[in-house]
Amino acid sequence: MTVTSLLAGALALTGQAALAQEECSDRGALDSMYCDADGDLVADAPEDESELSNPDTLVFAYTPVEDPAIYEDIWDPFIAHLEEVTGKDVQFFAVQSNSAEVEAMRSGRLHIAGFSTGPTPFAVNLAGAVPFAIMGSDDGRFGYTLQVYTQADSDIQEMPDLAGKRVAHTSPTSNSGNQAPRALFPDLGVVPDEDYEVTYSGSHDQSMLGVVAGDYDAAPVASEVVDRMAERGLYDPEEVRIVWESDPFPTTSYTYAHDLAPELKDAIEEAFFSFDFEGTALGEEFTGVSKFIPVTYEDQWAVIRQIQAANGVQYTPEGLAAE
């Protein structure tokens, strides 16, 4: 995904919509396409009802994964439920990168999406995504941790031991795979790109498999990803060891486009919050969760914004395209 192609999404605005946004003086970090008059850090819905979207077919995407075809099947029962509650046809859209997913919502081609933790602020500020749900347990708990893995027989025992080693990060916009390590590791005695050279693997899956294969000496990864990999038998947990683990972060945010009609947003939320994970492929894949629970970008992503601010992240097309 290039900066040029991402910027091209802005050209989809009509002259009338663009003029309306020029009159907005309250948008914080949001792109100039959006306004935030109520100060909740996400894009307001258009005031002009003619600019609201109510498509016959809703397009849904889940964050980029190693094998999108598998996840399309996993999401089938939820998509059927979403169709029933909203009365709309729903199409699953397999995205290949975080940039492509953000650009799709920005250009109006994507209506509902799960964005990974780190890319969520880019989706909010560049694409008008509005986070409203996250997977959680019956008692309302949610989240994942950043774990640093090495081989079981490695001489890496503590974080300072990463110095001089081959360490894989995932991608520049990833929270647990890059942003959080850069913000947190210095206080643990090791500075990425100074004490060790960062190699981007492309995904948590590739980082973990690279550690198992010995291609990397260590890697920071998301606990939820490696747990699912172990459950699918993609690696032997006996071959690796955790060096360090963080406090919990929020997981994938489930969002809708800011310009959807209010009644459609309500129906989408109803579909998410009424979905029963038990006995479904989704429930089997995402163990430890049983339902979607309400969240807000302002509250649950505060720690992520703090980490990204510490890394000098700017929510711009250039920042996202650096992936």
Side-chain angles (χ1 to χ4, degrees), residues 3 20-21 36 44 53 65 79 81 90 92 97-98 101 131 133-134 136 138 173 182 191 203 209 227 243 247 299:
V3 174
Q21 292 305 328
D36 179 26
D44 298 336
S53 175
V65 291
I79 287 177
H81 179 70
V90 179
F92 184 88
S97 69
N98 294 316
E101 189 176 18
I134 197 170
D138 284 333
T173 60
R182 290 183 181 277
V191 180
S203 71
L209 294 175
D227 287 347
V243 180
D247 292 332
D299 292 337

Side-chain angles (χ1 to χ4, degrees), residues 164-205:
K165 301 295 187 179
R166 297 166 299 170
V167 181
H169 288 204
T170 59
S171 65
T173 60
S174 173
N175 178 63
S176 55
N178 185 59
Q179 296 293 337
R182 290 183 181 277
L184 302 178
F185 285 8
D187 288 341
L188 300 173
V190 62
V191 180
D193 272 334
E194 292 184 16
D195 295 319
Y196 66 79
E197 181 180 353
V198 171
T199 298
Y200 289 115
S201 69
S203 71
H204 294 274
D205 306 60

Side-chain angles (χ1 to χ4, degrees), residues 45-235:
E47 294 183 359
D48 186 342
E49 292 187 3
S50 68
E51 296 175 12
L52 294 173
S53 175
N54 195 357
D56 294 330
T57 298
L58 296 173
V59 180
F60 170 80
Y62 179 62
T63 181
V65 291
E66 192 67 23
D67 191 343
I70 292 178
Y71 275 80
E72 183 172 1
D73 293 337
I74 289 171
W75 280 98
D76 272 348
F78 174 78
I79 287 177
H81 179 70
L82 184 60
E83 289 181 328
E84 181 180 355
V85 175
T86 62
K88 306 277 190 179
D89 291 331
V90 179
Q91 176 185 345
F92 184 88
F93 175 44
V95 294
Q96 302 302 316
S97 69
N98 294 316
S99 295
E101 189 176 18
V102 170
E103 194 277 333
M105 182 167 282
R106 178 182 174 99
S107 64
R109 296 181 287 112
L110 179 61
H111 310 111
I112 309 169
F115 288 100
S116 295
T117 304
T120 288
F122 286 92
V124 167
N125 290 290
L126 294 178
V130 180
F132 67 91
I134 197 170
M135 289 182 179
S137 59
D138 284 333
D139 60 7
R141 288 182 298 172
F142 61 87
Y144 72 98
T145 61
L146 157 59
Q147 298 173 330
V148 177
Y149 276 89
T150 189
Q151 293 85 19
D153 59 356
S154 168
D155 61 355
I156 299 173
Q157 300 296 327
E158 300 176 341
M159 290 299 289
D161 296 336
L162 294 180
K165 301 295 187 179
R166 297 166 299 170
V167 181
H169 288 204
T170 59
S171 65
T173 60
S174 173
N175 178 63
S176 55
N178 185 59
Q179 296 293 337
R182 290 183 181 277
L184 302 178
F185 285 8
D187 288 341
L188 300 173
V190 62
V191 180
D193 272 334
E194 292 184 16
D195 295 319
Y196 66 79
E197 181 180 353
V198 171
T199 298
Y200 289 115
S201 69
S203 71
H204 294 274
D205 306 60
Q206 291 299 324
S207 286
M208 195 63 185
L209 294 175
V211 169
V212 172
D215 296 332
Y216 311 120
D217 296 313
V221 289
S223 61
E224 60 173 355
V225 177
V226 296
D227 287 347
R228 291 200 296 272
M229 291 177 66
E231 289 163 7
R232 294 202 298 271
L234 298 180
Y235 76 96

Side-chain angles (χ1 to χ4, degrees), residues 199-283:
T199 298
Y200 289 115
S201 69
S203 71
H204 294 274
D205 306 60
Q206 291 299 324
S207 286
M208 195 63 185
L209 294 175
V211 169
V212 172
D215 296 332
Y216 311 120
D217 296 313
V221 289
S223 61
E224 60 173 355
V225 177
V226 296
D227 287 347
R228 291 200 296 272
M229 291 177 66
E231 289 163 7
R232 294 202 298 271
L234 298 180
Y235 76 96
D236 182 356
E238 296 296 323
E239 296 182 359
V240 295
R241 172 169 48 82
I242 296 178
V243 180
W244 179 81
E245 185 171 16
S246 74
D247 292 332
F249 300 123
T251 54
T252 298
S253 66
Y254 293 91
T255 73
Y256 45 59
H258 79 293
D259 60 349
L260 296 184
E263 61 272 17
L264 179 54
K265 291 179 181 177
D266 290 342
I268 292 170
E269 290 189 13
E270 179 185 347
F272 272 81
F273 298 138
S274 64
F275 181 72
D276 186 358
F277 279 62
E278 187 175 357
T280 69
L282 202 61

